[in-house]
Amino acid sequence: MVSYKDLGLVNTREMFEKAMAGHYAIPAFNFNNMEQLQAIIQACVESASPVILQVSSGARKYANQTLLRYMAEGAVAYAKELGRNIPICLHLDHGDTFELCKSCIDMGFSSVMIDGSHLPYEENVALTRKVVEYAHQFDVTVEGELGVLAGIEDEVAAEHHTYTEPDQVIDFVTKTGVDSLAISIGTSHGANKFRPEQCTRNAEGVLVPPPLRFDILEEVEKRLPGFPIVLHGSSSVPQKFVEIINKYGGAVKDAIGIPEDQLRKASKSAVCKINIDSDGRLAMTAAVREVLATKPAEFDPRKYLGPARDWLKELYKHKCENVLGSAGKA
Ligand code: G3H
Ligand code: 13P
Ligand code: ZN
């Protein structure tokens, strides 16, 4: 049993209190490897932003949970070495069982998500409550979810969102005791969040997706004043990365994300945590493809993973400084 407090990590409680009062959102960036983690820490130290490091169950399988935890511990020391002791939370993204959440809590995670959003309501409540009861003994914070995000990449339940039902949120938060709530208001996971035919074109010919359901967010805020809300699926899918990927042999088709102005608006509301994974994947892939295509004789991984790390760092800094408003808040 390892306490996150001994690793220099923090839970989300104070982060979210400050984000709510200061009208900004904390970035929650997923990581699976060293270069991603280096880029996140460099960017957040340079922009003086608090940060949530997210580990999905897929990341855990890919990289090993123990290794990822030591990397997060190392990230705390690395941030200090770079000159700023920023608040760093280590969070389980989309935990799907009590056992997975418990295992992460027992080995040093400071926050977990239990995602029961696909379950019938009462089962979601019971599972989430069980995780909260365990987590709170160790001062670990818990994120729950109500409503289902559409995912064009998913095999099932794909095309349509089940938006969060505002009339359920008080009952859910009261019965479960969660510290934050992820809601469904039109975002979705992956790089294909909207189909082109769902979008309109602006004067410059750029595709503009339908706006998020801020009316639902407002109804949730009315029922849970001051309660931290989380947005998943919040990558903006920068077209410059999609173009580079496709220019150098990629086939990322019809990739459309959440416009940055929508995320800026959400950051000023009760949304305290914004999840970004796909944008990092696109930046990294674009950099690697460009180097390999333009320098075909190169075979030192540092020569393509190094530029990928630099592109990632610029992306993360941009999120903190120009979108989420978390820069300068560490
Ligand atoms: O919400 C899902 C995250 O983007 C993590 O994705 O399960 O492929 O690691 P993953
Ligand atoms: P994106 O796929 O939009 O980056 O969302 C990531 C996410 O929600 C992780 O939980
Ligand atoms: Zn998610």
Side-chain angles (χ1 to χ4, degrees):
M1 182 86 202
V2 184
S3 168
Y4 69 86
K5 293 178 185 176
D6 296 330
L7 308 182
L9 299 163
V10 298
N11 68 21
T12 58
R13 199 165 292 123
E14 193 180 324
M15 277 186 178
F16 290 169
E17 274 167 22
K18 289 183 176 169
M20 184 74 74
H23 305 287
Y24 61 91
I26 310 286
F29 297 132
N30 290 71
F31 80 105
N32 302 267
N33 66 30
M34 182 186 74
E35 284 78 7
Q36 290 169 322
L37 185 60
Q38 287 173 319
I40 295 168
I41 297 302
Q42 290 169 8
C44 292
V45 164
E46 282 182 27
S47 59
S49 173
V51 67
I52 296 171
L53 302 173
Q54 291 200 139
V55 172
S56 70
S57 58
R60 193 169 164 267
K61 283 192 204 97
Y62 174 79
N64 179 277
Q65 170 173 291
T66 307
L67 202 47
L68 289 170
R69 193 264 283 169
Y70 279 106
M71 286 169 75
E73 186 180 2
V76 174
Y78 182 45
K80 284 185 196 157
E81 189 183 304
L82 292 176
R84 210 186 300 267
N85 190 10
I86 56 171
I88 301 176
C89 166
L90 179 62
H91 175 79
L92 170 67
D93 192 24
H94 294 282
D96 56 351
T97 62
F98 171 78
E99 289 70 27
L100 173 56
C101 293
K102 179 181 182 299
S103 164
C104 288
I105 293 164
D106 290 351
M107 67 182 311
F109 281 57
S110 58
S111 178
V112 293
M113 176 190 195
I114 176 69
D115 183 357
S117 61
H118 291 270
L119 298 172
Y121 180 73
E122 290 304 336
E123 287 177 38
N124 186 2
V125 168
L127 176 61
T128 306
R129 186 188 165 92
K130 189 174 174 190
V131 171
V132 169
E133 279 171 359
Y134 187 75
H136 281 184
Q137 294 175 61
F138 308 100
D139 205 19
V140 168
T141 41
V142 180
E143 174 185 328
E145 177 161 344
L146 267 183
V148 182
L149 274 63
I152 291 174
E153 75 279 17
D154 293 337
E155 297 285 318
V156 285
E159 295 283 303
H160 301 289
H161 304 272
T162 305
Y163 294 116
T164 303
E165 173 51 64
D167 284 334
Q168 280 185 335
V169 298
I170 296 178
D171 187 67
F172 186 80
V173 166
T174 312
K175 281 187 179 156
T176 60
V178 281
D179 303 281
S180 61
L181 181 67
I183 62 169
S184 171
I185 58 166
T187 64
S188 62
H189 293 107
N192 297 83
K193 300 187 190 300
F194 305 94
R195 292 185 307 279
E197 59 271 25
Q198 289 177 280
C199 304
T200 53
R201 280 194 192 275
N202 68 13
E204 290 84 46
V206 176
L207 286 175
V208 180
L212 298 180
R213 291 290 304 272
F214 281 97
D215 57 318
I216 297 176
L217 174 59
E218 279 163 27
E219 289 303 317
V220 170
E221 286 183 284
K222 268 188 216 156
R223 287 161 177 79
L224 297 173
F227 191 81
I229 300 301
V230 176
L231 280 193
H232 282 249
S234 296
S235 278
S236 292
V237 187
Q239 292 302 301
K240 62 179 179 185
F241 297 139
V242 176
E243 282 159 18
I244 293 168
I245 290 171
N246 291 339
K247 178 177 171 188
Y248 294 113
V252 176
K253 298 274 180 264
D254 294 337
I256 303 169
I258 310 296
E260 289 184 344
D261 62 330
Q262 299 276 294
L263 299 171
R264 269 184 215 106
K265 182 173 167 185
S267 300
K268 296 192 174 85
S269 73
V271 170
C272 291
K273 172 175 179 269
I274 291 194
N275 287 11
I276 297 168
D277 186 359
S278 297
D279 283 356
R281 297 178 180 195
L282 291 166
M284 207 166 185
T285 302
V288 171
R289 277 196 179 274
E290 186 175 87
V291 174
L292 294 182
T294 56
K295 297 177 183 160
E298 197 54 75
F299 64 95
D300 177 346
R302 294 171 297 187
K303 296 288 164 42
Y304 49 87
L305 294 179
R309 185 174 61 193
D310 294 341
W311 290 28
L312 274 177
K313 177 183 161 187
E314 284 315 304
L315 170 82
Y316 294 137
K317 275 183 85 171
H318 170 69
K319 301 284 180 189
C320 298
E321 291 170 3
N322 306 320
V323 186
L324 277 61
S326 62
K329 308 295 186 186

